[in-house]
Amino acid sequence: MHIAILTFEGYNELDSLIALGVLNRIRNDDWRVTIATPGPKVTSMNGVVIEQMSSLEEACTADAVIVGSGIATREVVEDPAIMNVLRRLDPSRRLVAAQCSGALVLARLGLLGGIPACTDLTTKPWVVAAGVQVLNQPFYAKGNIATAGGCLASHYLAAWIIARLQGKEAADGALHYVAPVGEKEEYMERAWRNIAPYLPAPAPALV
C-alpha cells in the first residue's frame, strides 16, 4: 500500500509533513508513505530542504495521493511538465486528496467536475475562478476525492485515507497518538465530526 504526498518547490511544511507523520503511525509491513517531488530535492516556503522519496510518476500509481500545498502552486499548475504527469491521476482507481492550494491542482486537472472543495483563504479566489464551489469548512469528500482547507486540517486528510484503506480503528489509533495530552477526547471528537459524514457507510452484517 503506497501513499504519496505530492510536494513541490515552496511547499508548506505543515501541509506535507503533518500528513506524513500521521500516516506513518500505521506500522504494517506493506504500508509505505512517501514525499513525491518533481526533482531530487525541494525547498519549503521557510527554507526546509527535503529529498525525493518517490517521483511524480510513481505517485500516479499509488493507492492514495495527497496533493500538498505551497506558495508556488499557481506556478505548478502552469508547468506543462508537471501537469502532464499528474493527468495520469485517476480517482476511480485510487484515493485522491488535496490540501489547501492542492485543490487548485485538482481543479485545473478537471478532477473536481461539480464536486465542491475546501481550500485555504488565500487560494479560494483562484479555485473559484477555476469554476469550483469553495466550502466554508475544513474538510469535504465525495467518493474517492477529498479536500481540506487550512494547514492544521491536514490530519483530517490523513485520517480519512487511513480510515478508507485500513479502517476507522486504525485511524482512531493514529489520531489518538498525535492528539494533545489532556485534550485527546475533545480533539478526536472534533476530527470525526468533520470526517465521518464523508466515509462510506459500513456494509450490513450478514444474517
Side-chain angles (χ1 to χ4, degrees):
M1 197 75 72
H2 179 201
I3 300 90
I5 303 169
L6 305 191
T7 303
F8 304 103
E9 196 68 23
Y11 73 92
N12 184 318
E13 304 93 336
L14 296 177
D15 292 341
S16 288
L17 300 182
I18 288 177
L20 179 76
V22 175
L23 287 163
N24 270 317
R25 299 273 63 83
I26 304 300
R27 299 299 187 187
N28 295 351
D29 290 341
D30 67 345
W31 186 264
R32 175 179 173 234
V33 185
T34 65
I35 297 291
T37 62
K41 295 180 181 180
V42 288
T43 302
S44 78
M45 58 194 295
N46 294 305
V48 179
V49 179
I50 55 175
E51 296 185 354
Q52 181 184 73
M53 299 170 68
S54 65
S55 66
L56 298 186
E57 289 81 1
E58 288 177 279
C60 289
T61 66
D63 300 281
V65 176
I66 295 177
V67 183
S69 185
I71 59 173
T73 305
R74 284 191 293 175
E75 286 80 358
V76 168
V77 298
E78 298 299 336
D79 187 328
I82 291 175
M83 295 299 282
N84 285 339
V85 173
L86 298 186
R87 285 190 173 88
R88 303 173 195 171
L89 285 174
D90 182 357
S92 72
R93 303 180 65 181
R94 61 190 46 83
L95 302 180
V96 178
Q99 174 66 37
C100 289
S101 65
L104 180 60
V105 177
L106 297 192
R108 293 290 290 271
L109 289 172
L111 297 180
L112 292 178
I115 300 175
C118 302
T119 191
D120 62 279
L121 299 181
T122 300
T123 307
K124 179 179 177 179
W126 309 327
V127 177
V128 170
V132 176
Q133 177 192 359
V134 174
L135 303 172
N136 184 33
Q137 61 191 63
F139 179 83
Y140 180 82
K142 184 174 182 180
N144 286 347
I145 296 177
T147 53
C151 302
L152 295 181
S154 55
H155 66 290
Y156 293 160
L157 286 184
W160 176 78
I161 286 173
I162 295 171
R164 289 291 307 271
L165 297 180
Q166 295 287 316
K168 186 177 181 296
E169 185 176 348
D172 260 334
L175 286 175
H176 189 272
Y177 186 98
V178 301
V181 172
E183 299 179 350
K184 291 186 182 293
E185 289 185 5
E186 175 188 355
Y187 186 93
M188 293 178 65
E189 189 279 330
R190 181 173 62 249
W192 287 117
R193 188 169 67 241
N194 284 293
I195 301 167
Y198 306 110
L199 292 174
L206 296 176
V207 178

